[in-house]
Amino acid sequence: DGGITQSPKYLFRKEGQNVTLSCEQNLNHDAMYWYRQDPGQGLRLIYYSQIVNDFQKGDIAEGYSVSREKKESFPLTVTSAQKNPTAFYLCASSRGPGGREAFFGQGTRLTVV
Amino acid sequence: RKEVEQDPGPFNVPEGATVAFNCTYSNSASQSFFWYRQDCRKEPKLLMSVYSSGNEDGRFTAQLNRASQYISLLIRDSKLSDSATYLCVVYPGGGADGLTFGKGTHLIIQP
């Protein structure tokens, strides 16, 4: 089945550590996105990539980094510079930019302990 | 003014009733519109795209009013399983980074 897979589903991090969240898609989509959702809040865009080897900062990129070495993969690293990393992280992909509908992975719930 | 605004609710509606909620957007040049459904602690899932002429999918009807800059979602014969948060999503156009999400409207269908 085609889809988007995020792992792990739950992740616990100690303060000061970097962690990497995985996102893989086999939908042959060009565009991939990372969003963050806090309780009772909407989704906020962290980074997006419209094509391999290219990515752009979203609204809240500080403290995060990404790479797009393969079309299928768009990992997100939450660095120690992110002051409040506890949140629900959602990866999405779409066929391309320009307002096409996006499809989401199941999300990773990150907790700093 | 926020880019995409929704009434957070909750809307408490008896099973079988019809419920409607709106979403307003600030950018008149916005090009694409969607409704997503999000269950508690789950990922958003596309419910339907919203077309200029309006569109219907079973019990769900979506409308777009460009003049007043809002989209609406109507749910007829509501089911218990319709309980969820409904996210209004807009693509602003003009080379924007991606989709802009509203904070969602929480719907509770009561037996």
Side-chain angles (χ1 to χ4, degrees):
Chain A
D1 289 337
I4 304 175
T5 302
Q6 287 186 243
S7 62
K9 190 173 181 179
Y10 299 97
L11 185 58
F12 297 89
R13 189 195 92 173
K14 293 182 180 179
E15 286 193 24
Q17 285 183 336
N18 293 354
V19 289
T20 298
L21 282 58
S22 171
C23 179
E24 304 276 333
Q25 56 97 0
N26 60 4
L27 298 168
N28 200 32
H29 285 171
D30 288 314
M32 296 187 74
Y33 309 85
W34 275 105
Y35 289 91
R36 167 180 173 144
Q37 187 175 36
D38 294 283
Q41 300 297 312
L43 277 68
R44 292 183 291 168
L45 183 64
I46 305 173
Y47 267 99
Y48 69 102
S49 168
Q50 296 183 0
I51 196 169
V52 175
N53 293 323
D54 184 57
F55 50 83
Q56 304 295 329
K57 293 182 179 180
D59 300 320
I60 55 166
E62 185 175 351
Y64 300 98
S65 65
V66 293
S67 62
R68 187 84 186 277
E69 297 177 2
K70 299 187 299 182
K71 187 176 185 178
E72 302 80 14
S73 179
F74 192 39
L76 173 74
T77 296
V78 184
T79 75
S80 57
Q82 169 51 233
K83 299 304 180 188
N84 185 22
T86 295
F88 188 38
Y89 291 87
L90 289 157
C91 178
S93 71
S94 67
R95 282 178 290 157
R100 298 173 186 266
E101 59 269 24
F103 298 90
F104 286 84
Q106 291 184 314
T108 292
R109 200 164 296 276
L110 174 63
T111 303
V112 173
V113 296
Chain B
R1 182 178 176 185
K2 295 180 182 176
E3 291 188 56
V4 178
E5 289 198 67
Q6 297 183 251
D7 182 341
F11 283 51
N12 290 282
V13 174
E15 190 176 8
T18 295
V19 60
F21 26 84
N22 293 339
C23 157
T24 59
Y25 59 94
S26 60
N27 185 345
S28 60
S30 295
Q31 298 178 1
S32 305
F33 309 88
F34 310 93
W35 283 104
Y36 278 72
R37 169 193 170 128
Q38 186 174 24
D39 294 294
C40 186
R41 300 178 71 83
K42 299 287 189 180
E43 76 277 20
K45 293 184 177 179
L46 178 66
L47 180 64
M48 57 199 308
S49 302
V50 186
Y51 304 123
S52 296
S53 56
N55 47 305
E56 185 174 312
D57 183 2
R59 297 182 294 108
F60 298 84
T61 300
Q63 297 281 351
L64 168 63
N65 185 318
R66 284 195 180 272
S68 300
Q69 294 181 213
Y70 74 86
I71 66 173
S72 64
L73 180 66
L74 178 79
I75 305 174
R76 290 181 298 278
D77 187 25
S78 54
K79 312 291 185 189
L80 295 176
S81 58
D82 293 333
S83 297
T85 297
Y86 290 84
L87 305 176
C88 173
V89 184
V90 175
Y91 178 67
D97 301 345
L99 302 175
T100 300
F101 286 77
K103 293 184 179 181
T105 295
H106 189 198
L107 175 64
I108 301 171
I109 306 299
Q110 297 176 328

